[in-house]
Amino acid sequence: MTSKQQTGPGIGELGKDAASGRIGVVMGKVGGRAQMRPVRGGVEWDALPGNVVALKAREELSARLAVRNGNSRVGL
């Protein structure tokens, strides 16, 4: 039997907080909340686990490209 329940992105994967529209890396889950960090680094924020969804292909490409461009500006 297959489950129809969707699961969000796992720890270390990119995800989108549907409530705020912010894209980040899922860092962990603490106290019933998912902790996410901005793709370019920074302060983590808490999101409801049900609001953390997988990115569409275009969103993921855009996020990865932004990181790559930022790294090239500082010589990484």
Side-chain angles (χ1 to χ4, degrees), residues 44-63:
E44 293 180 0
W45 77 91
D46 291 337
L48 293 173
N51 288 342
V52 179
V53 296
L55 297 177
K56 295 177 184 171
R58 184 177 194 148
E59 291 172 320
E60 184 170 354
L61 179 61
S62 179

Side-chain angles (χ1 to χ4, degrees), residues 1-22:
M1 180 188 323
T2 60
S3 172
K4 294 190 179 202
Q5 179 181 8
Q6 276 191 341
T7 59
I11 294 173
E13 297 179 340
L14 288 173
K16 181 176 182 179
D17 179 356
S20 68
R22 294 173 71 183

Side-chain angles (χ1 to χ4, degrees), residues 21-39:
R22 294 173 71 183
I23 293 175
V25 179
V26 179
M27 301 305 292
K29 294 184 178 151
V30 177
R33 302 278 180 162
Q35 293 187 315
M36 299 184 70
R37 176 167 288 156
V39 177

